[in-house]
Amino acid sequence: MVDSDDPGFGGDRQMCRIFGSFAGEATAPELAAVSARQRHGGPDGRGVLTGRGWSLGCDRLAVTDPGRGTQPYRLPTAPGVLAVLNGEIYNHRELRRRMAARGHRFPDSCDGSVLPALYLEYGPRFAEHLDGMFAIAVLDRRTTAGPQLVLAVDDMGMKPIHYHVAADGSVRFASEIPALLAFDGVPADPREESLDTVLATKTPFGTETALRGIKVVPPGTTAVARPGSGLRVHRRAPYRTPPVTGTAGQDLEETLRVETERLADADVPVCAITSGGLDSGLVTALAASGARATGGAPLHSFHLTYRGRWPDSEHTYARAVALRSRTVHHQVEADPAEFASLLTRTVRHLGQPNADPIALSTYALFRAVHQSGFSVALTGDGADELFGGYDRLRAALAAPEGADWAGGYADALAAVPRMLRNRLYTPAYRAFIAERGSDGDRVLAELRASGTDRLTAIVNFETRWRMPAYHLRRVDHLSMAWGVEARMPFCQPRVAALARALPAEDLRGKRALYRVGRDLLPPSVLRRPKQPFTLPVAAMMTSGSPLMDAVQDLLSPARLLRGGRLRPDRVQALITRQLSRPSGPDALALWALAVHELWTEVAQGLRVPVGCAA
């Protein structure tokens, strides 16, 4: 189920992705297959180095110093240290000055060129000095005891590294799961509990993925491997931000402005994603203001809507933001007739199931950004998690003392309510989940055992577990599917530190951000009710619609009987109810079931027999 016009799976496009192996051999055909599966990230350069028992590779989307910056990075004075980077190091100029003062010389001005020098100075603690979004692999060949592999992911988890540790301790890693599966011996083995995980939390949280034996390096950690030792993950000290000089509220607007303008600095065209809401509106307004102040070209803004008439359209709000901010506005109209084919591409790019329909919208939006010639897009992602934007947070904080606020919060994360999940499961699968425990139960247990106040418990959970796995990984994979780098000012360390310093009252309904928006955004945007950027699936999943036809095919009785986890009669009753009385909850439940079913098919298609190239 692959379309030949999808840039990720055909043609000669390359990517800004990293991959490699350690303490085990990888053949040239293997490495070529790994690279081919994630080369959609960019066409600007490819490099692979191999040695005895190791390999290191990257295909580059050039955003800084496009003409140079060949990866893997290495310095003439230290050829034993190699590095590859996925992402951006925003403080690379400051680091370059510091390293130059210590005698290091650099062949270009690319941000990743500082990494070997930084590693030489600080060893595996080098990532503590990085301000940016990054996934980095460093190979140190200097030690007499054998080489050492170091993997590091930024504090928020904006750029992922997926890895597999074999029984002999050898390590394979890649930015994307489909690429990792192209290594010999990495199994495409769906977890039996993955269906319940998708229905209970929409996607796997934490270090585990939906495939057995494949994990993800957690946010804010550094992992070290030596021959025979596997991979040992260490949580490092976070990047140190400057102290708050006044009150957090007073500093917020200026900090957002500085970070947005800093992230808009690139050697390629930059645009903004404008949904019509508060968060993306602030980013758009600040970026547009910065472009005018420096005499640059007007900022371009992009908004996705759907061909035809659909409920909850936000295009008027997005246009109001664009007019106020004086951007060159692009209203992208996706065609619902193509959504069934887009769903297959989206699921494949994500590598594991994500039950939020926003994934399809995100993919279509970044396709339009790419087709318009932009390589960098500023987005408002992260504001809800850091500044208290979700309805479920407000409900939890408003619950009276002694009420089960954690239970209500965990239930709000589900794609399918617990009672309906149990009704849809076969007796055997229901018993399996009861014995193993649901991931929804684990979320609930973590919230209850946090030992802190409600607000702190929720923000910690959202930023450490849910946001990286559910939100940021989706944005990363679906933007890079089209060679677009999504940059997120709200996820910058300084902004996150200010959010943590705000009084609890300012985190109820993003009050602090609304104050910032008073002089930047139209009143219509500030007064409107909160609405997530997503797909109107309830209205689109009707009799004879392309999406409903695809869902019915994926949830056919014969297919469900083969799977053995769902009762076909009860799934069919759910479909019948949606066809007769369309509703948001039923549509989301069917969407989640269909996405998981499609993912299991895609995962099997990515299986590579040992000894064969993909």
Side-chain angles (χ1 to χ4, degrees):
M1 301 179 71
V2 176
D3 285 273
S4 61
D5 67 339
D6 182 358
F9 304 99
D12 59 358
R13 292 182 59 78
Q14 297 179 8
M15 81 294 184
C16 181
R17 290 312 211 199
I18 64 174
F19 58 93
S21 61
F22 182 75
E25 299 299 329
T27 65
E30 272 183 88
L31 296 172
V34 173
S35 173
R37 283 192 175 178
Q38 55 181 27
R39 68 185 175 210
H40 37 266
D44 304 313
R46 182 183 181 192
V48 180
L49 293 177
T50 62
R52 185 173 180 179
W54 61 267
S55 64
L56 206 60
C58 176
D59 289 294
R60 181 190 181 214
L61 173 66
V63 173
T64 305
D65 197 4
R68 296 183 289 175
T70 302
Q71 297 199 48
Y73 300 109
R74 48 185 166 175
L75 296 179
T77 53
V81 176
L82 309 173
V84 289
L85 162 69
N86 174 23
E88 294 286 335
I89 308 301
Y90 300 126
N91 64 335
H92 70 97
R93 293 185 180 92
E94 170 199 332
L95 293 172
R96 186 182 305 275
R97 288 192 293 269
R98 189 196 309 174
M99 295 299 101
R102 298 190 181 195
H104 298 284
R105 297 293 177 263
F106 304 96
D108 54 60
S109 59
C110 188
D111 56 345
S113 296
V114 303
L115 294 174
L118 208 62
Y119 181 86
L120 286 170
E121 294 292 334
Y122 301 110
R125 297 184 59 182
F126 75 97
E128 295 176 11
H129 301 266
L130 299 177
D131 174 9
M133 59 174 183
F134 55 82
I136 297 168
V138 175
L139 185 77
D140 185 354
R141 298 179 295 163
R142 300 171 303 156
T143 62
T144 56
Q148 175 173 273
L149 174 70
V150 180
L151 305 177
V153 171
D154 64 77
D155 289 353
M156 287 288 184
M158 289 178 275
K159 290 291 180 181
I161 301 178
H162 300 91
Y163 68 93
H164 169 74
V165 179
D168 63 359
S170 60
V171 179
R172 276 86 178 165
F173 66 90
S175 295
E176 299 184 14
I177 289 176
L180 183 58
L181 292 174
F183 278 111
D184 285 357
V186 178
D189 182 15
R191 294 179 179 275
E192 183 67 16
E193 65 272 18
S194 65
L195 172 62
D196 182 74
T197 297
V198 170
L199 302 189
T201 60
K202 295 182 183 168
T203 201
F205 295 163
T207 59
E208 302 294 341
T209 71
L211 292 171
R212 202 175 309 279
I214 294 179
K215 295 187 175 184
V216 62
V217 178
T221 65
T222 298
V224 179
R226 296 181 178 86
S229 70
L231 198 66
R232 298 186 178 180
V233 179
H234 310 276
R235 181 160 294 282
R236 63 175 182 267
Y239 176 75
R240 284 174 287 184
T241 60
V244 175
T245 54
T247 67
Q250 291 171 335
D251 281 1
L252 182 55
E253 179 176 350
E254 181 59 24
T255 300
L256 271 175
R257 184 180 298 277
V258 168
E259 294 303 313
T260 300
E261 293 177 0
R262 191 162 68 125
L263 268 59
D265 179 21
D267 297 332
V268 295
V270 177
C271 67
I273 302 301
T274 309
S275 70
L278 171 69
D279 311 333
S280 66
L282 285 173
V283 170
T284 300
L286 292 169
S289 172
R292 289 194 301 271
T294 57
L299 180 74
H300 287 244
S301 57
F302 284 79
H303 174 77
L304 182 76
T305 186
Y306 310 102
R307 191 170 299 170
R309 296 179 64 86
W310 301 101
D312 302 322
S313 175
E314 298 182 277
H315 69 277
T316 57
Y317 298 111
R319 187 171 296 278
V321 171
L323 287 171
R324 176 72 175 263
S325 303
R326 288 181 276 168
T327 68
V328 179
H329 193 55
H330 303 254
Q331 182 169 300
V332 180
E333 291 192 355
D335 186 356
E338 69 167 339
F339 283 175
S341 64
L342 290 187
L343 178 60
T344 299
R345 304 181 204 178
T346 300
V347 168
R348 183 169 176 125
H349 273 292
L350 288 172
Q352 61 178 342
N354 185 306
D356 196 327
I358 197 177
L360 193 151
S361 306
T362 303
Y363 181 84
L365 178 58
F366 282 111
R367 176 181 63 180
V369 170
H370 162 77
Q371 290 173 344
S372 297
F374 290 88
S375 299
V376 175
L378 303 174
T379 80
D381 295 292
D384 281 319
E385 289 82 359
L386 289 163
F387 290 90
Y390 290 119
D391 290 341
R392 60 180 178 270
L393 185 143
R394 289 196 289 272
L397 296 182
E401 198 65 36
D404 185 18
W405 65 268
Y409 194 89
D411 288 345
L413 299 175
V416 181
R418 181 187 300 270
M419 187 175 297
L420 180 56
R421 296 201 301 268
N422 288 332
R423 178 172 170 76
L424 295 175
Y425 294 159
T426 61
Y429 192 65
R430 189 162 57 246
F432 167 76
I433 294 300
E435 180 179 354
R436 176 194 174 274
S438 171
D439 279 354
D441 297 330
R442 278 179 272 282
V443 169
L444 181 58
E446 176 163 338
L447 289 171
R448 287 175 173 167
S450 64
T452 62
D453 62 274
R454 296 181 197 182
L455 179 61
T456 302
I458 291 170
V459 171
N460 287 345
F461 165 76
E462 287 281 352
T463 55
R464 184 174 178 183
W465 297 115
R466 183 181 177 276
M467 185 168 72
Y470 172 74
H471 199 96
L472 299 180
R473 205 168 304 160
R474 180 182 66 230
V475 173
D476 169 73
H477 282 39
L478 299 181
S479 61
M480 293 303 294
W482 290 100
V484 177
E485 181 177 273
R487 294 184 177 181
M488 296 163 271
F490 285 107
C491 291
Q492 283 299 103
R494 292 173 181 82
V495 179
L498 280 175
R500 287 191 290 269
L502 286 170
E505 198 60 29
D506 279 350
L507 294 178
R508 296 176 184 266
K510 295 192 287 194
R511 292 179 183 177
L513 292 185
Y514 276 100
R515 285 199 296 270
V516 173
R518 283 183 302 204
D519 296 326
L520 296 171
L521 298 177
S524 60
V525 172
L526 296 172
R527 290 195 301 262
R528 62 169 298 200
K530 177 176 171 54
Q531 178 184 324
F533 164 60
T534 188
L535 190 74
V537 285
M540 290 184 172
M541 288 174 58
T542 56
S543 181
S545 70
L547 275 184
M548 182 52 88
D549 287 347
V551 167
Q552 287 181 289
D553 177 61
L554 288 165
L555 301 180
S556 68
R559 186 191 287 258
L560 298 184
L561 279 172
R562 289 195 301 271
R565 293 183 290 267
L566 294 166
R567 290 189 52 168
D569 58 330
R570 293 184 175 174
V571 173
Q572 185 57 50
L574 188 62
I575 292 173
T576 301
R577 190 167 71 188
Q578 172 65 17
L579 291 174
S580 61
R581 300 188 305 277
S583 76
D586 285 351
L588 179 57
L590 290 169
W591 182 274
L593 291 167
V595 163
H596 184 269
E597 202 61 36
L598 177 58
W599 170 77
T600 59
E601 178 181 302
V602 168
Q604 292 305 307
L606 292 171
R607 186 183 298 274
V608 181
V610 175
C612 299

